Amino acid sequence: MELPKVGSIGEYIRQQRQQAKISLRQLAAQAGVSNPYLSQVERGLRKPSAEILNQIAKGLHISAKVLYVQAGLIEDREPDSDVLAAIRADVTITERQRQVLIDIYESFRKENRAGNPEAQPSRPAEPPTGDAVLTENTATPDSKEG
């Protein structure tokens, strides 16, 4: 989740409020905080608690996590993917092979996050359905091989 670079949580809240076309008074009422307090938060004079950020997020109709990350309360970290879990769980490869696969996979992800135009992520391939199963032996019971 890439956040825009904004100087402070107050500036970010103001930006979100203005994009939502909500007045300071409206957001203060929706968040259950006083108008002067919210104004001080937006100007960077006060640092809101996690609970206040949660209330502001509800008033802005955005994720509280976004505000927590912007305020520095939590780290924006991507969860481990299913690919990493599968690599780590595979007992048929050595520890060194596991680490090499993880390193390669992570390098691809890092390259894609950096915006390399040649490395644009594609949609995952659709798994085959049960109806389209191909087998090596295509002979039917009625056919005769000769």
Side-chain angles (χ1 to χ4, degrees), residues 48-133:
S49 67
E51 180 57 36
I52 298 295
L53 287 174
N54 191 40
Q55 292 169 227
I56 291 170
K58 285 180 185 175
L60 290 170
H61 304 290
I62 62 174
S63 164
K65 181 183 175 191
V66 172
L67 290 184
Y68 295 161
V69 169
Q70 191 67 33
L73 298 177
I74 62 173
E75 187 178 319
D76 186 23
R77 200 175 82 85
E78 290 183 24
D80 275 354
S81 72
D82 292 341
V83 172
L84 292 175
I87 292 170
R88 289 184 178 122
D90 192 338
V91 295
T92 62
I93 59 177
T94 67
E95 184 58 37
R96 170 137 170 64
Q97 290 168 332
R98 255 186 232 107
Q99 192 55 54
V100 168
L101 284 173
I102 289 170
D103 290 346
I104 291 169
Y105 179 70
E106 288 297 336
S107 73
F108 288 152
R109 291 175 51 150
K110 183 178 179 182
E111 186 176 316
N112 291 348
R113 282 192 300 264
N116 182 345
E118 292 181 14
Q120 293 304 314
S122 60
R123 293 184 54 207
E126 294 292 323
T129 61
D131 297 342
V133 175

